């Protein structure tokens, strides 16, 4: 049997579609497991907070999907954490005419695929501790935000670097 949270993501669309203009609010927290979100950066439950508004030919879903994350800074590897929030503005249709729309199947609107996609997109984002993070020295590994080193890591222009090894034959 499905977890209750998983069931909370499946909405009776028939009822909503009978009353165009009607709005239903869904506010749930689900585990990554319930959403089939397997990601190293996920650090807690995913919050789904959306309004479902019935139209004549479908249901518009608007709101936010928020995922807590924890991952190292891309440059200095310091452990960081936060909550990433994706803005949701999606359409569900019984007869999918809009190519970006999600299907309403058996009278049910399933928020899971939409929330899953939004959460994964947010979790894939690489993070920096700060925009100007100096990162680690590629040679000795010191954190250049904290200390400096004497390594010569001046980046050579690759085009000229290639010529360095070239022996001219004249
Ligand atoms: Zn950093
Ligand atoms: Zn160094």
């Amino acid at each position: 049997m499905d977890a209750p949270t998983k069931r909370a993501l499946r909405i009776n669309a028939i009822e909503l579609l009978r009353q165009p203009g009607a709005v239903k609010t869904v506010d749930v927290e689900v585990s990554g497991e319930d959403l089939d979100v397997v990601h190293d950066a996920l650090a807690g439950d995913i919050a789904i907070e959306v309004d479902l508004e019935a139209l004549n030919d479908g249901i518009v879903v608007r709101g936010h999907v928020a995922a807590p994350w924890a991952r190292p800074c891309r440059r200095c590897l310091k452990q960081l954490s936060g909550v990433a929030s994706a803005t949701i503005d999606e359409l569900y249709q019984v007869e999918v005419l809009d190519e970006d729309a999600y299907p309403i199947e058996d009278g049910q609107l399933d928020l899971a695929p939409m929330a899953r996609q939004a959460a994964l997109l947010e979790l894939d984002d690489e993070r920096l501790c700060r925009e100007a993070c100096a990162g680690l020295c590629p040679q000795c590994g010191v954190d250049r935000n904290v200390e400096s080193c004497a390594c010569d890591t001046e980046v050579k222009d690759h085009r000229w670097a290639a010529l360095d090894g070239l022996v001219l034959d004249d």
Side-chain angles (χ1 to χ4, degrees):
M1 203 176 78
D2 284 350
T5 46
K6 219 169 179 174
R7 279 204 302 274
L9 295 177
R10 279 204 289 271
I11 315 299
N12 183 339
I14 307 284
E15 211 175 290
L16 258 179
L17 286 168
R18 270 194 207 119
Q19 348 163 30
V23 175
K24 182 181 168 67
T25 299
V26 175
D27 188 349
V28 283
E29 284 202 2
V30 296
S31 66
E33 208 173 39
D34 283 343
L35 274 188
D36 287 324
V37 171
V38 180
H39 202 291
D40 283 348
L42 182 63
D45 286 348
I46 295 163
I48 300 162
E49 220 185 300
V50 287
D51 280 340
L52 282 58
E53 188 186 346
L55 308 177
N56 288 317
D57 62 344
I59 295 173
V60 171
V61 177
R62 289 197 187 97
H64 292 92
V65 169
W69 58 269
R71 71 187 303 163
C73 168
R74 177 161 61 83
R75 289 189 202 142
C76 72
L77 307 181
K78 184 168 122 185
Q79 195 60 34
L80 308 172
S81 62
V83 177
S85 182
T87 301
I88 301 301
D89 189 350
E90 300 289 349
L91 178 65
Y92 280 73
Q93 293 183 313
V94 177
E95 196 185 335
V96 179
L97 299 172
D98 187 309
E99 60 175 25
D100 294 325
Y102 286 90
I104 292 172
E105 288 166 323
D106 301 327
Q108 304 252 307
L109 183 158
D110 189 359
L111 291 170
M114 174 281 293
R116 177 174 188 275
Q117 208 181 1
L120 283 174
L121 213 68
E122 291 297 319
L123 291 167
D124 274 344
D125 260 2
E126 291 196 313
R127 310 285 169 176
L128 288 177
C129 59
R130 60 197 172 94
E131 206 49 58
C133 172
L136 302 178
C137 169
Q139 281 182 29
C140 71
V142 303
D143 184 344
R144 285 170 155 173
N145 298 303
V146 187
E147 39 180 321
S148 52
C149 59
C151 300
D152 176 16
T153 54
E154 219 179 294
V155 185
K156 270 195 180 176
D157 187 314
H158 292 300
R159 284 167 302 174
W160 297 115
L163 291 178
D164 280 351
L166 196 71
V167 182
L168 291 177
D169 180 20
D170 59 8

